[in-house]
Structure formats: structure tokens, C-alpha cells
Amino acid sequence: MFATSETLLILVILPPFISFALNGLIPDLRKNKKTSSGISILAIVISALSSIALVVINPDTDIVFEWIPLTSFSPIIFGFFIDPIVLIMFLIVSLVSLAVQVYSLDYLREESPLSFGRYYTFQSLFAFSMLGFVASLSLLQIYIFWELVGLCSYLLIGFWYTRPEASRAAVKAFWVTRFGDVGFAIGMVLLWGATGTFFLPELFIKAPEISNPFLTLSLFLIVLGAMGKSAQFPLHVWLPDAMEGPTPVSALIHAATMVVAGIYLILRLFPLFELTLDPLVFVMWIGTITALLGACLAIVQNDIKRILAYSTVSQLGYMMAALGAGGAGVAYFHLFTHAFFKSLLFLAAGSLIHSLHTSDIWSMGKLAKKTPQVTALFLIGSLALSGVFPFSGHFSKDEILMWMHVRGFTLHFIILLITAFITSFYMFRAFFVVFFGKGESTSGQEVQEVKTPWVMTLPMWILAVITIFAGFQAGNFFNFLGLRLEEVHTHLEYLPLIVSILGIALAWTFYQGRYLSSKNVAISLSPINTALEKKFWMDDVYLWAYRYVLDGLSIVCGWFDRYLVDGLVNFTAYYTKRASQKLRTIQTGHAQDYLYGIIIAILLLFFLSILSPYLSPFLNEKENSVEFSEQIIQKGLQDDDD
Amino acid sequence: MHWDNIIFFLLATGLVSTSVAAVSSKRILRSAIFLAIALLFTAFVYLLLGAELLAGIQILLYAGGVITLIIFALLISEKLGDQKLVETHHGVIPALTASLLVLFILLYFTWSSPRIESLSNSRSLSEYGVSRTLSEVLFSTWVLPLEILSVLLLAAIIGALVLARQEKTKGEEREQ
Amino acid sequence: MSLYHILFLSFLVFSIGLFGVLSRRHVVGILIGIELMFNAANLAIVGIAWSMGVLTGQIIALFGIAITAAEVAVGLALFLLVERLTNTVYADKIDTMRG
């Protein structure tokens, strides 16, 4: 039993890595569409099946090994372990990866075999890194996998690297998340400095001994890393731009898995966060602000992927807020449901973009009749995201809101409630415009046919089924985590649902019924509208900071380097040169003169050895050198005689 | 006075005088010959010390091979370079001072060392220096250094060949 | 005949060789001085080994002689080469390495 669960753990993590290694190292496999995708999908299927098997068994096991084992010093311990939290993440990552990889078969059909193979190689690397990240037992190992998923994100955002926007977005994502990662790295090292270990179980045991301000500081820094990765205000700016990557990548990495890494990190380190509450309060505020901000920004977007990206930012804010309020379980449940319905939404949007070659919602329109299947799928996703009753999003969002309400965070509760209203409004704005709109901007062109082969629809339907039924499993979910689902009955119980439906109704009034004109409202609220369209000038602030602050710093550093550092070097070099100019005259070039040098050295040694008995008080030397060498000879001869 | 003492002093006198002649002769060819004779004297001292094999090798390799090489090189140089082999000294006084200083240092350490004193009256010379024993030790205990030495000699031969060949091509270029 | 005598003889020859190395102008003259010094060192080694009654000294001397042979071969080849290149046989005229 014990052995099988360890084997299964290896079977979850290792196959994607093997697939990555095979595709990465053997060009012949990578250059063939069938082999590259086949290997990758086979690997993720093994991972998914093993994950499901592990969830069924629900074992408690780990694989631990020491890196650089030492006796005197606590070694760096690496290892993978399983607990219910890890298992659920395994399930999310492997299932969504599988769905996305199958979906990509058709989505990337037009790519050349080489870039197709590259895509699947990166996908395998990502799956491995994410699975490894989730099951990591040591903070250092978490950091390594954390950077690996960041690397995959960078590589996949910039998948169409010949497009300047894509490569710029990739670099932006890399820089912004790296900014947070610096905090994470420093925080991690601070924790190590205080406890002398990266190993999580040991860290949790030793953590109460750390002085409170120090622990708070380290955790703040770690939260900074989580904010970068999970696109929290003010480090959220990279996520909308990351939509330049292929849509399946957005579904997998920038909706379901990688962006929740920050949430997961805080969740993992929750025993530490419980020791000092300041970082959690900070997390709660950040999460609440991000939720509202993301939702507001989503209203004015015209690009379907960007709408979804801002909605991801907003939903991640929900999770952060719940985490900050101490609701690790409810945050995790929302993470779980969100992973499925958001990747479903992305894949549905992707199938439209794939067929129509545009992502502008105004140039879509009238798609409901052409593709009822995608319409149904998108509707399921939108309803789930808006939090309408039978769908999973309703349950998880409800849990978060109720948690806030019951714990007495009324201000946050109200903000999140408003956010829920805006969420359903912008989602159905997109839904009505895309599927029932007129298709105004298409300059006379009739909207093209939407092709939906089964490799695309099957993964979406699987995700849709999970979206529909996952919500009812909330009780089982919390049992599995070893938590109890709190049954809350207050007079506010139905408020979130009512708010959501109101949001849908408002969207209908604006965009379907057209009783109100969105343009008139936009004009009457023009300052807000401008602010939203400019994304609250966040990008401009960053650009300014990048351009002036960083450049200014560079100029100062450059001056320092050029005049002080180089000056010192040149000064040393100049005097070395002058000294050697003088010393070179000693070199006569005559072989015999060098021999005189040797003789002078012998003479000096001779005087030293004669004088050493008298010099010994000054030289602080106990042994008379002549006697000492005699002793050595004596000893050598004794050895010789033996 | 024992007879081998007499022989030793005769040999020592011969060795020192030929050495002096070798370093002070005006003709370089002549000093090479003196070197050969000095090496022969050394070989006889070896014999006196019971090292017959070493004496033989000294005569064969040193007095035979090395001196032949030197004389050969001198003759080639004289023939090709068309230079008289008249040898002069330079800086005699500092050279003499330095040599005497080194001699003094060596003697000082020898005579002040209790170790050498204990050596000088320690052991007798029974069965010492028999060629057979020497060969057996040479080809058992010392076989690895011996083999390495053979490689060194090979390297020296090749090195000398390469240097000589380069010299020849350079000479040809100059002729053209 | 004692070790002292042999060592004294060896040192004397060594110093004479050193004098030759230091004062000779001809390259081969220097080489002859070096040979004398080598020879003196060998003599000292054999003498010490003789007074200790061990064979090791003789073997070291043997190796020394072989190494000397190699050195002389290379040294003379160098001598011929240098003579070709600089057109002189006198060491004090060769100073291309002067600083």
C-alpha cells in the first residue's frame, strides 16, 4: 500500500518530465506533430489517471531525499509529499492540462511541425513544473519550481515570438513576476536564516521561535512574490497582456494553474501566517481591491480574452481576500471551481477566436444560431462565473462572501458583493454581444462559420460537466480536506444570487433589450469611463517608473562604475605599470645574471637559518629551522628503515 | 695510510685539476676533453665506492655519449658558423666570489650537521654495490621510474630532432 | 677515505662547475659547467648512500645520469638552433629577453 502510493506519486510527477526530456532532446520526435503531441498527451494521461487513483486511495505519503548530505550541518532536504490539498491540485493541474493539450491539437493545427512540437515540449515542462511545485516539501524546492512555471509562462506567452506584442508581453510578464519573486527569494532566505531549514515540516515546528517582527517581514516579502504570480494589484498588469499567447495557454496557465500558485503558496504556508496576522490583513485588503479593480476594468474591455483575463484577476482577488480573512478552505474551494469554469470559458472563447480570427467582441455577434454548442458552453461558464445557482461558481463564491460576512468583515463583504454584481454584468455583456449582437464592426462581412471539431468540444464538455456538478460536491470537498463545511443561515444568504441576477438583468437591458444606451451612460460617466479605459493609468505609471526611475538609477550606477570603480582600477593599473617600468631594468636578458639571483637567494636563506635562533623571539617561531629539518630527515630515514 | 686512501687522494687531485682545466681552458674543444677526463675520474671514484655498475654507466653514457655529443655539436657549429672556438671569460671576480660563497655554505652545513657525522662512521660496506642486486632492485622496486625515464629519453630524442629540423629549414630559407 | 672527504671533493667540483657556469661566455662552456655540477651532485649522492650502506643512492645517481643525457641532447639542439638564429655562440650576446 505504502509502496503503491509512492509509485503513483512518481507516476504523477515524472511522466511530463520524461515527455519534456524526450521532446526536448530528440529533434526527430519534436519535428513530428504526431510524436510530439502523442508523447505529451500520453504523459499527461498517465499523470491524470495516477492523480485520480491517488484521490481515491487518499494516502498520506512522501518521498524525501537529502541534497548534499552532511553530518554536522542540516542538509537541504528535497522531497515530494501528498496530502488532500496536494491531491486536489494534482487533479486540477492534470485534468486541465489534459483538456488543454487535447484541445490544442486542433487549435494549433496550422502551426508548423517545429513550433507545434515546441508547444508540446513547453506544455510538458509546464505540467511537470506545476505538479512538482504543488507537491514540494521544501521552500527552496518550491522556489525552483515556482521559477520553472514562470519560465514556462514566459515561453508560452511568447510562443508567437515573431509578433512584437507577444514578445513584449512575455518580457513584461517575466519582469513583473520577477519583481515579486525577488521578495519571495528574500523572504525565503530570511526564514532560512532564522530557522536554518527550508524543510516545511521543520520550518513549521521552529517558526514560533522566530521573533514576531522578523516573521512578519519575511511573510510580507513572500506575499509580494505571491502577488506577482497571482496578478494582484498593483502587480496585476502583466496578466491581461499575457493574453498574447495562444488561448489554450491562457486557459491552462493564466486562468487555472500557474496564476493560482501565489494563492497556493500562501495556503501552504498558512501555519506561518497564522502566527502573525498583519500579512493576512494586508492580503485581504489587496485581494478585495484587486477583485473590485479587475471587475471594473473588465467592463470596458472589447477583447474577449482581455475580459476573461481581468475576470481572472478579479477572481484571484476573491481568493486572496478569503485567504486573508482566514478562510483557507473556502479560498481553495473557489480556486478549485474557478480552475474549471475559467478554463472552460477560455477554451470556448478560443474556439471562436480560432474560427473567426478575431477576438474583438463587437466583430463577433449572431453566433448563437451558428454554433449552439459553443453558446451553451460559454453560457455554462458565464453562469458559473457570475455565481448563478446550480453551477459551481455559485457555491464557492457564496462560501467566500458568507465567510466574510460571518467573520464580520463587513466592508470587504460589501465590496465583494458589488464586485459580484459587476462580474455578472461584464460577463453577460460579453455573452450578449458575442452571441446575440449584430456584429457591427465587421465592415459588411458576414460572420464566418464556427468550426468545432470533437477534439475541441470534448475537453470543453468534460470541463462543463465538472463545472455543473463540482458545486454540489462542496461538502465532500471540505471533508476531503478534513474541514467542516459551515452551514450558514442568515438573512443575507440569497443576496449574492440576487445580486448576480441583477447584474445579468442590467447587462440584458443594455446590450440585448437596448432599453438603455451604453454609450449615453459612458458619456455621462466620462471621467470614470476614461479612467477605466486607461486602466487607472497603471501601465503609464509603470512605464514612467521604468523609464525615469530605472534610467536615473542606471545613470547613477553608470557614473559610479565609470568614475569610481574604473578610476580605482585605472589608478592601480597606472602605478603597477610605472613600478614595472622601473623594475624591468633588473631583467638583463643574460642567463648568467639570473643565476646570480639564485645565489643571492641561497645566501639569504643561509643567513636566515644561521640567525633564526637569535631571531626566534621576533619571529615567534618555536622550532630552530636547522634542527627542525634534521628532525624531518631523521623521521624519513626511520620510515625508510622500516 | 691505507691504499685506497692513497688512490682516493690521487683521483681527487686529478678530478679537481681536470675540472679546473675544463672551466678555464681557452679552447672550448679542449675543455670538453677535460670534462671527459674529469668524468672518467669520477667513474673511478665510483669504483672505489663499490659502485661498479654506476662506474660503467658513467663511462659509457657520460664520458662516451655526452662528450661525443658535445664535441659533435661543437664541430658542427664551428663548421657551419665559421667561428673560432676561442673562449674567454667575463666577470671572473664575481663568479669566483659566488662560487666560493656557495662552497662555504655547503661546507658549513655539512660540518655543522650532526646527522652527517653519525653517517660517516656508521656502516660497513659488505656486499654493497653488487651489480646483480642493483639490477634486481632496479627492475622490481624502481621499475616505474625506470619506464618513465625511458619515456623521457624518447621525448628528449624527439625534441632534439624537432629543434634540429627547424634549424635546418630556417637555414634553407636563408639560403634562398 | 670518509664521507667527509667525498663530500668535500663533491662540493669543490660543484663550486668549480658553478664558476664555469657563471664566467664562461660560450654556451657550450656553460653547458660543460653544468655537467660538472651534475656530476658533483651525483658523487655526493653516491657517497652518502655508500656511507649508509643502501642502494637507493646509486639508483638515483643512475637516473640522474640518464636525465643528464636527455638534457644534454636537448641542450645541444637548442644551442645549434640559437646559434643559427642569433648568429653567435656567446651567451652574453644573447639578450632578447632584456626588459
Side-chain angles (χ1 to χ4, degrees), chain A residues 545-612:
Chain A
Y546 184 76
R547 198 168 282 166
Y548 295 102
V549 179
L550 211 62
D551 273 10
L553 200 67
S554 307
I555 288 165
V556 172
C557 289
W559 182 88
F560 185 81
D561 186 63
R562 203 164 296 136
Y563 294 102
L564 292 185
V565 178
D566 285 4
L568 201 65
V569 172
N570 289 340
F571 180 80
T572 321
Y574 175 72
Y575 278 96
T576 311
K577 202 175 163 187
R578 282 197 58 181
S580 50
Q581 283 286 359
K582 298 226 162 113
L583 275 172
R584 59 183 270 196
T585 49
I586 294 176
Q587 303 285 328
T588 57
H590 296 293
Q592 286 153 324
D593 292 347
Y594 298 97
L595 203 57
Y596 281 113
I598 296 175
I599 290 165
I600 289 167
I602 290 171
L603 225 94
L604 286 174
L605 284 173
F606 169 71
F607 285 126
L608 193 69
S609 75
I610 287 177
L611 294 176
S612 62

Side-chain angles (χ1 to χ4, degrees), chain A residues 239-268:
Chain A
L239 189 58
D241 285 8
M243 297 301 128
E244 293 295 339
T247 314
V249 170
S250 310
L252 175 63
I253 298 181
H254 305 118
T257 53
M258 190 202 81
V259 286
V260 302
I263 317 278
Y264 185 82
L265 180 71
I266 295 179
L267 198 70
R268 267 279 144 237

Side-chain angles (χ1 to χ4, degrees), chain A residues 592 596 599 602-603 605-606 609-610 626 630 633-634 637 641, chain B residues 90-91 94-95 98 101-102 104-105 108-109 113-115 123:
Chain A
Q592 286 153 324
Y596 281 113
I599 290 165
I602 290 171
L603 225 94
L605 284 173
F606 169 71
S609 75
I610 287 177
V626 175
E630 286 296 330
I633 294 168
Q634 205 82 33
L637 286 169
D641 291 345
Chain B
H90 67 123
L101 264 171
V102 169
F104 169 73
I105 292 168
Y108 175 85
F109 278 120
S113 161
R115 174 75 202 166
R123 297 181 201 189

Side-chain angles (χ1 to χ4, degrees), chain B residues 16 26-27 37 41 47 57 66 71 76 110 124:
Chain B
V16 172
K26 290 280 175 201
R27 295 288 301 274
I37 297 167
F41 275 122
L47 264 184
I57 287 171
V66 170
I71 291 170
I76 289 173
T110 311
S124 65

Side-chain angles (χ1 to χ4, degrees), chain B residues 136-151:
Chain B
E136 273 167 6
V137 176
L138 197 60
F139 284 97
S140 56
T141 317
W142 295 88
V143 69
L144 184 65
L146 191 76
E147 292 302 325
I148 294 171
L149 197 67
S150 67
V151 175

Side-chain angles (χ1 to χ4, degrees), chain A residues 624-638:
Chain A
N624 181 321
S625 62
V626 175
E627 280 171 19
F628 188 59
S629 60
E630 286 296 330
Q631 281 170 2
I632 291 172
I633 294 168
Q634 205 82 33
K635 197 168 171 297
L637 286 169
Q638 275 165 10

